[in-house]
Amino acid sequence: MKILKALTQEDTQKISISLAPLLRSGDIIALWGTLGSGKTAFTRYLIQHLLHRQESVPSPTFTLLQVYDTDLFPVYHFDLYRLEKPNDAYELGIEEAFIDAVSIIEWPEKMGSLLPAAHRLNVRIKVENTTRIFIFESTDSSWKERINSWQITL
Ligand SMILES: Nc1ncnc2c1ncn2[C@@H]1O[C@H](COP(=O)(O)OP(=O)(O)O)[C@@H](O)[C@H]1O
Ligand SMILES: [Mg+2]
């Protein structure tokens, strides 16, 4: 487990950018946190970094999914807040995404038991005024190793 405290949005950006080199296709990044905790902000910084540009990264609040083609792997950015039932996630292409893309999922609780444990990194975001506490943990052995070897200074 790794706990990082972002005092500013710039810190959130640093954390999200430093996660980028650890990503591999097939990974699932589950972002757990209340409305306004920074799930989209964290994802936006990460995707802009992977795209090497400040491209607009809209919140998939209504579309439920935005797909980006990066040099290394496609990135599927899900916002499942409006998903009515876990099975509806199949229509969004989760099966393909989980095989060879990097899936970043806001509101992963909406997937229920369809959310795989394999290749999954959990990111829990806690809010304290403008501070965001990021807790990174996983039950996946590869992610455990990656979290342990992750070097970051804020
Ligand atoms: N340290 C911080 N890191 C990220 N966002 C922050 C931070 N401090 C304040 N914010 C604000 O919190 C909000 C996060 O919104 P958003 O990323 O859309 O949340 P979510 O997707 O979890 O609903 C933004 O308005 C952002 O400006
Ligand atoms: Mg969001």
Side-chain angles (χ1 to χ4, degrees):
M1 187 163 77
K2 194 164 192 79
I3 302 176
L4 297 167
K5 207 168 182 173
L7 300 178
T8 61
Q9 298 205 46
E10 287 69 33
D11 284 348
T12 296
Q13 183 175 27
K14 277 190 206 163
I15 295 168
S16 122
I17 287 176
S18 88
L19 184 67
L22 304 185
L23 298 174
R24 298 179 197 158
S25 71
D27 282 341
I28 297 168
I29 311 300
L31 297 170
W32 309 83
T34 52
L35 198 69
S37 58
K39 301 180 294 298
T40 300
F42 180 86
T43 307
R44 181 173 291 132
Y45 292 132
L46 182 57
I47 291 173
Q48 287 175 336
H49 177 75
L50 291 168
L51 292 173
H52 315 293
R53 54 196 136 97
Q54 299 297 299
E55 183 169 309
S56 117
V57 175
S59 170
T61 311
F62 296 100
T63 54
L64 275 66
L65 170 66
Q66 298 283 341
V67 180
Y68 301 88
D69 270 311
T70 75
D71 302 339
L72 303 165
F73 34 66
V75 174
Y76 278 54
H77 178 197
F78 297 93
D79 180 336
L80 301 181
Y81 189 71
R82 285 161 197 276
L83 195 76
E84 284 183 14
K85 49 186 190 307
N87 265 312
D88 289 352
Y90 285 113
E91 288 162 36
L92 298 172
I94 48 166
E95 285 171 303
E96 299 86 85
F98 293 168
I99 292 166
D100 64 359
V102 167
S103 301
I104 305 177
I105 309 178
E106 300 186 39
W107 301 103
E109 49 272 67
K110 293 278 178 172
M111 282 186 67
S113 58
L114 294 183
L115 184 70
H119 309 288
R120 191 217 308 168
L121 171 69
N122 293 305
V123 184
R124 294 178 203 281
I125 311 175
K126 298 205 187 314
V127 179
E128 282 177 9
N129 303 311
T130 58
T131 297
R132 299 292 186 270
I133 298 158
F134 288 89
I135 301 160
F136 296 85
E137 54 85 16
S138 182
T139 56
D140 178 87
S141 56
S142 156
W143 266 117
K144 281 184 182 175
E145 280 173 32
R146 284 183 268 173
I147 295 169
N148 285 337
S149 60
W150 184 11
Q151 300 294 331
I152 169 168
T153 39
L154 291 173

mmCIF file of all heavy atoms in Angstrom, residues 3-22:
data_model
loop_
_atom_site.group_PDB
_atom_site.id
_atom_site.type_symbol
_atom_site.label_atom_id
_atom_site.label_comp_id
_atom_site.label_asym_id
_atom_site.label_seq_id
_atom_site.Cartn_x
_atom_site.Cartn_y
_atom_site.Cartn_z
ATOM 1 N N ILE A 3 0.499 5.552 0.408
ATOM 2 C CA ILE A 3 -0.391 6.676 0.703
ATOM 3 C C ILE A 3 0.331 7.963 0.333
ATOM 4 O O ILE A 3 1.448 8.214 0.794
ATOM 5 C CB ILE A 3 -0.784 6.696 2.189
ATOM 6 C CG1 ILE A 3 -1.470 5.381 2.568
ATOM 7 C CG2 ILE A 3 -1.702 7.887 2.495
ATOM 8 C CD1 ILE A 3 -1.823 5.251 4.027
ATOM 9 N N LEU A 4 -0.295 8.761 -0.525
ATOM 10 C CA LEU A 4 0.311 10.020 -0.974
ATOM 11 C C LEU A 4 -0.668 11.158 -0.736
ATOM 12 O O LEU A 4 -1.869 11.026 -1.015
ATOM 13 C CB LEU A 4 0.663 9.930 -2.464
ATOM 14 C CG LEU A 4 1.709 8.874 -2.840
ATOM 15 C CD1 LEU A 4 1.743 8.659 -4.342
ATOM 16 C CD2 LEU A 4 3.085 9.275 -2.323
ATOM 17 N N LYS A 5 -0.128 12.253 -0.232
ATOM 18 C CA LYS A 5 -0.975 13.393 0.104
ATOM 19 C C LYS A 5 -0.763 14.508 -0.915
ATOM 20 O O LYS A 5 0.344 15.023 -1.049
ATOM 21 C CB LYS A 5 -0.582 13.875 1.509
ATOM 22 C CG LYS A 5 -1.684 14.558 2.250
ATOM 23 C CD LYS A 5 -1.295 14.718 3.710
ATOM 24 C CE LYS A 5 -2.417 15.353 4.493
ATOM 25 N NZ LYS A 5 -2.152 15.383 5.925
ATOM 26 N N ALA A 6 -1.824 14.870 -1.629
ATOM 27 C CA ALA A 6 -1.749 15.955 -2.611
ATOM 28 C C ALA A 6 -2.326 17.213 -1.974
ATOM 29 O O ALA A 6 -3.530 17.300 -1.741
ATOM 30 C CB ALA A 6 -2.528 15.576 -3.869
ATOM 31 N N LEU A 7 -1.458 18.160 -1.706
ATOM 32 C CA LEU A 7 -1.924 19.416 -1.084
ATOM 33 C C LEU A 7 -2.533 20.344 -2.129
ATOM 34 O O LEU A 7 -3.313 21.232 -1.799
ATOM 35 C CB LEU A 7 -0.764 20.114 -0.381
ATOM 36 C CG LEU A 7 -0.070 19.325 0.735
ATOM 37 C CD1 LEU A 7 1.094 20.113 1.309
ATOM 38 C CD2 LEU A 7 -1.065 18.972 1.838
ATOM 39 N N THR A 8 -2.141 20.141 -3.389
ATOM 40 C CA THR A 8 -2.612 21.000 -4.481
ATOM 41 C C THR A 8 -2.947 20.125 -5.691
ATOM 42 O O THR A 8 -2.597 18.945 -5.735
ATOM 43 C CB THR A 8 -1.495 21.970 -4.932
ATOM 44 O OG1 THR A 8 -0.390 21.170 -5.393
ATOM 45 C CG2 THR A 8 -1.031 22.861 -3.800
ATOM 46 N N GLN A 9 -3.573 20.744 -6.685
ATOM 47 C CA GLN A 9 -3.848 20.007 -7.923
ATOM 48 C C GLN A 9 -2.551 19.650 -8.636
ATOM 49 O O GLN A 9 -2.491 18.637 -9.338
ATOM 50 C CB GLN A 9 -4.741 20.839 -8.838
ATOM 51 C CG GLN A 9 -6.071 21.120 -8.180
ATOM 52 C CD GLN A 9 -7.185 21.385 -9.174
ATOM 53 O OE1 GLN A 9 -7.344 20.649 -10.156
ATOM 54 N NE2 GLN A 9 -7.963 22.408 -8.926
ATOM 55 N N GLU A 10 -1.527 20.479 -8.455
ATOM 56 C CA GLU A 10 -0.221 20.170 -9.068
ATOM 57 C C GLU A 10 0.329 18.864 -8.471
ATOM 58 O O GLU A 10 0.950 18.068 -9.168
ATOM 59 C CB GLU A 10 0.776 21.313 -8.845
ATOM 60 C CG GLU A 10 0.503 22.566 -9.686
ATOM 61 C CD GLU A 10 -0.753 23.326 -9.280
ATOM 62 O OE1 GLU A 10 -1.099 23.333 -8.068
ATOM 63 O OE2 GLU A 10 -1.417 23.888 -10.182
ATOM 64 N N ASP A 11 0.103 18.669 -7.182
ATOM 65 C CA ASP A 11 0.537 17.406 -6.560
ATOM 66 C C ASP A 11 -0.237 16.232 -7.151
ATOM 67 O O ASP A 11 0.332 15.165 -7.425
ATOM 68 C CB ASP A 11 0.292 17.436 -5.046
ATOM 69 C CG ASP A 11 1.320 18.274 -4.298
ATOM 70 O OD1 ASP A 11 2.348 18.644 -4.899
ATOM 71 O OD2 ASP A 11 1.076 18.561 -3.105
ATOM 72 N N THR A 12 -1.528 16.436 -7.352
ATOM 73 C CA THR A 12 -2.352 15.382 -7.962
ATOM 74 C C THR A 12 -1.806 15.049 -9.349
ATOM 75 O O THR A 12 -1.692 13.884 -9.732
ATOM 76 C CB THR A 12 -3.824 15.847 -8.051
ATOM 77 O OG1 THR A 12 -4.309 16.027 -6.724
ATOM 78 C CG2 THR A 12 -4.695 14.839 -8.773
ATOM 79 N N GLN A 13 -1.422 16.092 -10.083
ATOM 80 C CA GLN A 13 -0.850 15.892 -11.421
ATOM 81 C C GLN A 13 0.459 15.095 -11.333
ATOM 82 O O GLN A 13 0.680 14.170 -12.107
ATOM 83 C CB GLN A 13 -0.614 17.237 -12.085
ATOM 84 C CG GLN A 13 -0.082 17.128 -13.503
ATOM 85 C CD GLN A 13 0.026 18.476 -14.191
ATOM 86 O OE1 GLN A 13 0.188 19.499 -13.535
ATOM 87 N NE2 GLN A 13 -0.068 18.476 -15.506
ATOM 88 N N LYS A 14 1.316 15.457 -10.373
ATOM 89 C CA LYS A 14 2.598 14.745 -10.217
ATOM 90 C C LYS A 14 2.371 13.275 -9.910
ATOM 91 O O LYS A 14 3.061 12.398 -10.453
ATOM 92 C CB LYS A 14 3.410 15.362 -9.070
ATOM 93 C CG LYS A 14 4.205 16.591 -9.454
ATOM 94 C CD LYS A 14 5.142 16.950 -8.307
ATOM 95 C CE LYS A 14 5.472 18.426 -8.328
ATOM 96 N NZ LYS A 14 6.027 18.890 -7.051
ATOM 97 N N ILE A 15 1.435 13.005 -9.038
ATOM 98 C CA ILE A 15 1.156 11.613 -8.657
ATOM 99 C C ILE A 15 0.660 10.843 -9.876
ATOM 100 O O ILE A 15 1.140 9.742 -10.180
ATOM 101 C CB ILE A 15 0.106 11.561 -7.522
ATOM 102 C CG1 ILE A 15 0.664 12.192 -6.239
ATOM 103 C CG2 ILE A 15 -0.331 10.122 -7.269
ATOM 104 C CD1 ILE A 15 -0.382 12.441 -5.160
ATOM 105 N N SER A 16 -0.256 11.447 -10.602
ATOM 106 C CA SER A 16 -0.851 10.742 -11.729
ATOM 107 C C SER A 16 0.170 10.521 -12.849
ATOM 108 O O SER A 16 0.222 9.451 -13.447
ATOM 109 C CB SER A 16 -2.112 11.498 -12.137
ATOM 110 O OG SER A 16 -2.091 11.911 -13.429
ATOM 111 N N ILE A 17 1.031 11.513 -13.079
ATOM 112 C CA ILE A 17 2.067 11.362 -14.111
ATOM 113 C C ILE A 17 3.083 10.293 -13.708
ATOM 114 O O ILE A 17 3.554 9.509 -14.537
ATOM 115 C CB ILE A 17 2.741 12.719 -14.390
ATOM 116 C CG1 ILE A 17 1.786 13.617 -15.179
ATOM 117 C CG2 ILE A 17 4.069 12.548 -15.136
ATOM 118 C CD1 ILE A 17 2.323 15.018 -15.431
ATOM 119 N N SER A 18 3.395 10.231 -12.425
ATOM 120 C CA SER A 18 4.413 9.267 -12.011
ATOM 121 C C SER A 18 3.881 7.833 -12.048
ATOM 122 O O SER A 18 4.657 6.876 -12.060
ATOM 123 C CB SER A 18 4.975 9.621 -10.631
ATOM 124 O OG SER A 18 4.201 9.043 -9.630
ATOM 125 N N LEU A 19 2.569 7.698 -12.107
ATOM 126 C CA LEU A 19 1.986 6.354 -12.230
ATOM 127 C C LEU A 19 2.109 5.841 -13.673
ATOM 128 O O LEU A 19 2.171 4.626 -13.905
ATOM 129 C CB LEU A 19 0.506 6.386 -11.813
ATOM 130 C CG LEU A 19 -0.241 5.056 -11.784
ATOM 131 C CD1 LEU A 19 0.292 4.151 -10.683
ATOM 132 C CD2 LEU A 19 -1.742 5.283 -11.581
ATOM 133 N N ALA A 20 2.176 6.763 -14.625
ATOM 134 C CA ALA A 20 2.138 6.399 -16.051
ATOM 135 C C ALA A 20 3.154 5.321 -16.451
ATOM 136 O O ALA A 20 2.781 4.351 -17.119
ATOM 137 C CB ALA A 20 2.293 7.650 -16.913
ATOM 138 N N PRO A 21 4.432 5.451 -16.058
ATOM 139 C CA PRO A 21 5.402 4.424 -16.496
ATOM 140 C C PRO A 21 5.161 3.038 -15.907
ATOM 141 O O PRO A 21 5.752 2.066 -16.364
ATOM 142 C CB PRO A 21 6.767 4.971 -16.035
ATOM 143 C CG PRO A 21 6.520 6.270 -15.384
ATOM 144 C CD PRO A 21 5.066 6.525 -15.292
ATOM 145 N N LEU A 22 4.313 2.961 -14.900
ATOM 146 C CA LEU A 22 4.039 1.652 -14.281
ATOM 147 C C LEU A 22 2.944 0.892 -15.016
ATOM 148 O O LEU A 22 2.747 -0.304 -14.798
ATOM 149 C CB LEU A 22 3.603 1.830 -12.816
ATOM 150 C CG LEU A 22 4.520 2.584 -11.854
ATOM 151 C CD1 LEU A 22 3.959 2.521 -10.443
ATOM 152 C CD2 LEU A 22 5.928 1.997 -11.870
#
